[in-house]
Amino acid sequence: MRYNHIILLIIIFFIFFISAYLIFPLLSFHNIFKELISNIITFLSIILGFYFTCISILFSSKYMHNLKKEDYHNKTQRLIHTLIAYFKSSIYTALITIIISMLILIADSLHISFFNKILFSILIALLSINFLFIILLIKVIFNIFIIQTIQGFK
């Protein structure tokens, strides 16, 4: 992954973690809490399907030959390796977020409020990172469509 994106991910994680940790006591959504977590798990499952669809579109496209070039941000690897690193990171982040969501449901049923507060803060921070990955990978997919369209006219 690119250095500036790694720094951005770390900053976003801590900003959302601290914000959620400070705001959590002010929230009173216990009656919809389990439904909210279930919806987050469903959303992340759909996102995982989106990532795998993007990978299949990528590897079946004419865009692949463009990714054999050297990555100008990291001279030791090709663009395809950078893109694979982004997909791996996004998939791992989504899976970890799903696991955290399940742990929140368990902690809520055991009435462990402090543990729940920390897990909820981590969940909000990871969801923000998931959204950043979605934005970055959608940009790549749009580039694939544009290049395939241009190459289709040649």
Side-chain angles (χ1 to χ4, degrees):
M1 286 184 50
R2 296 195 174 136
Y3 181 74
N4 58 341
H5 289 157
I6 293 172
I7 297 299
L8 181 64
L9 288 172
I10 292 170
I11 291 170
I12 286 174
F13 181 85
F14 283 113
I15 287 172
F16 277 88
F17 177 82
I18 292 169
S19 300
Y21 190 81
L22 295 174
I23 292 172
F24 185 80
L26 305 174
L27 300 175
S28 61
F29 56 89
H30 188 70
N31 54 346
I32 61 165
F33 191 70
K34 289 182 181 179
E35 186 177 330
L36 174 70
I37 300 299
S38 297
N39 289 338
I40 289 172
I41 292 171
T42 302
F43 172 73
L44 290 169
S45 300
I46 293 168
I47 293 302
L48 278 172
F50 169 74
Y51 291 150
F52 288 117
T53 302
C54 288
I55 291 171
S56 66
I57 288 171
L58 175 70
F59 285 107
S60 65
S61 70
K62 297 176 184 177
Y63 188 71
M64 280 300 290
H65 75 279
N66 294 341
L67 297 174
K68 293 180 182 175
K69 299 174 188 168
E70 185 179 87
D71 187 353
Y72 58 92
H73 289 290
N74 186 355
K75 302 290 184 193
T76 61
Q77 67 184 17
R78 301 199 179 280
L79 288 171
I80 186 68
H81 299 116
T82 303
L83 187 59
I84 288 172
Y86 277 95
F87 274 112
K88 280 184 181 179
S89 298
S90 62
I91 289 170
Y92 293 152
T93 303
L95 288 173
I96 290 170
T97 310
I98 290 172
I99 291 169
I100 295 292
S101 299
M102 290 180 187
L103 289 174
I104 287 173
L105 289 175
I106 293 170
D108 188 53
S109 65
L110 297 175
H111 305 292
I112 307 172
S113 61
F114 178 72
F115 190 59
N116 216 359
K117 180 179 179 181
I118 292 174
L119 284 176
F120 185 76
S121 302
I122 292 171
L123 176 69
I124 297 301
L126 287 174
L127 279 173
S128 65
I129 290 175
N130 276 302
F131 281 115
L132 181 64
F133 277 127
I134 291 167
I135 291 167
L136 292 173
L137 293 174
I138 284 176
K139 286 173 51 176
V140 171
I141 294 301
F142 281 141
N143 286 338
I144 291 171
F145 290 146
I146 290 169
I147 290 188
Q148 281 200 195
T149 303
I150 291 170
Q151 289 177 348
F153 289 124
K154 291 182 180 179

